[in-house]
């Protein structure tokens, strides 16, 4: 499994999104946090901004929907051209239908779990999922402290994924930095979201490269 880095534009300058996307030219994805002030206590951006960003960048866009009604909204992000669309287990009322609609619209289907949500009840859904996202902070804000309590779940998720053929990517999001990324890679994560650790750095592209090097070494 190849290491992939997905910088979160939540920590970028929202007034200069196209330039901020271009700065991380060596990233595999651009992670876009859609927050509705209901599922999480923060409000960011929605489909019109994602559509504008898609026109402004050639980097694949990884939409993380932290919204109350993902069943209603997720397919439109896939239809707009996002490469990956992730919905939360705690919010989706018809996840099988929604994940299938995301795939049918041509995007990878992601399924996210908050820190306190167990992975085992969703084992039978792994065939419907292209990426499992395990939150390593409570969702809502960038710059929070990494929650080590999630690491055993990362290991268990990696085992479940391996038992189901190993095709599903395992993403971690929240507090991922040069201090914490090796622990995540050792536990089995292969897609790493980093907001403040990338956009808070003097040289965001160098930060992406450093995170990639650390994760690749730890995964070996
Ligand atoms: C938090 C978001 C994250 C956030 C991560 O709810 O889902 O993607 O941008 O930010 P850092 O890497 O600063 O913890
Ligand atoms: Zn996110």
């Amino acid at each position: 499994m190849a290491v992939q880095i997905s910088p979160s534009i939540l920590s970028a300058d929202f007034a200069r999104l196209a330039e901020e996307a271009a700065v991380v030219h060596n990233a595999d994805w651009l992670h876009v946090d859609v927050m509705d002030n209901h599922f999480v206590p923060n409000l960011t951006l929605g489909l019109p901004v994602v559509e504008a960003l898609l026109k402004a960048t050639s980097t694949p866009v990884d939409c993380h929907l932290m919204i109350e009604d993902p069943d209603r909204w997720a397919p439109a992000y896939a239809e707009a051209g996002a490469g990956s669309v992730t919905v939360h287990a705690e919010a989706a009322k018809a996840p099988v239908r929604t994940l299938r609609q995301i795939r049918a619209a041509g995007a990878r289907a992601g399924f996210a779990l908050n820190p306190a949500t167990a992975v085992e009840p969703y084992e039978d859904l792994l065939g419907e999922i292209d990426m499992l996202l395990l939150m390593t902070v409570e969702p809502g804000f960038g710059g929070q402290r990494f929650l080590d309590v999630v690491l055993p779940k990362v290991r268990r998720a990696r085992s479940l994924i391996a038992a189901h053929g190993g095709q599903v990517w395992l993403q971690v999001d929240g507090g991922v930095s040069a201090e914490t990324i090796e622990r995540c890679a050792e536990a089995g994560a292969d897609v790493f979201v980093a907001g403040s650790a990338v956009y808070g750095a003097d040289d965001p592209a160098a930060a992406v490269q450093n995170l990639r090097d650390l994760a690749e070494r730890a995964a070996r």
Side-chain angles (χ1 to χ4, degrees):
M1 58 191 179
V3 163
Q4 298 184 72
I5 307 292
S6 188
S8 168
I9 59 157
L10 185 59
S11 295
D13 180 352
F14 274 10
R16 300 168 41 251
L17 275 188
E19 291 148 67
E20 295 281 70
V23 161
V24 290
H25 53 82
N26 54 345
D28 301 283
W29 295 88
L30 278 178
H31 184 86
V32 178
D33 291 302
V34 176
M35 304 186 186
D36 67 351
N37 196 33
H38 289 275
F39 181 66
V40 289
N42 196 6
L43 184 66
T44 54
L45 51 85
L47 192 54
V49 175
V50 170
E51 286 171 337
L53 183 63
L54 284 163
K55 284 189 200 134
T57 181
S58 54
T59 305
V61 169
D62 162 28
C63 287
H64 176 194
L65 305 186
M66 285 161 278
I67 61 177
E68 218 159 55
D69 196 0
D71 303 294
R72 175 173 172 195
W73 297 105
Y77 287 85
E79 283 155 17
S84 177
V85 179
T86 297
V87 297
H88 266 264
E90 302 84 0
K93 294 194 179 67
V96 174
R97 183 175 66 214
T98 300
L99 292 162
R100 289 184 179 182
Q101 286 175 342
I102 292 168
R103 281 180 164 178
R108 296 179 60 87
F111 196 59
L113 306 182
N114 281 342
T117 304
V119 65
E120 285 76 9
Y122 299 104
E123 179 175 359
D124 289 341
L125 277 193
L126 285 174
E128 308 286 340
I129 298 170
D130 297 302
M131 182 171 78
L132 182 65
L133 163 51
L134 299 183
M135 291 303 302
T136 42
V137 297
E138 296 289 1
F141 300 92
Q144 300 182 79
R145 204 188 148 99
F146 181 82
L147 294 174
D148 280 277
V149 70
V150 180
L151 285 172
K153 181 166 67 176
V154 177
R155 287 180 208 285
R156 294 199 305 276
R158 173 49 66 193
S159 303
L160 290 174
I161 288 169
H164 286 260
Q167 299 301 311
V168 179
W169 295 351
L170 184 54
Q171 184 177 65
V172 284
D173 181 8
V176 175
S177 69
E179 276 71 56
T180 58
I181 195 167
E182 290 163 298
R183 277 176 255 170
C184 298
E186 280 162 12
D190 55 3
V191 187
F192 304 87
V193 177
S196 48
V198 169
Y199 283 107
D202 291 337
D203 184 343
V208 168
Q209 186 59 45
N210 184 43
L211 290 171
R212 189 188 297 287
D213 291 343
L214 290 168
E216 281 176 352
R217 238 174 286 143
R220 267 188 232 127

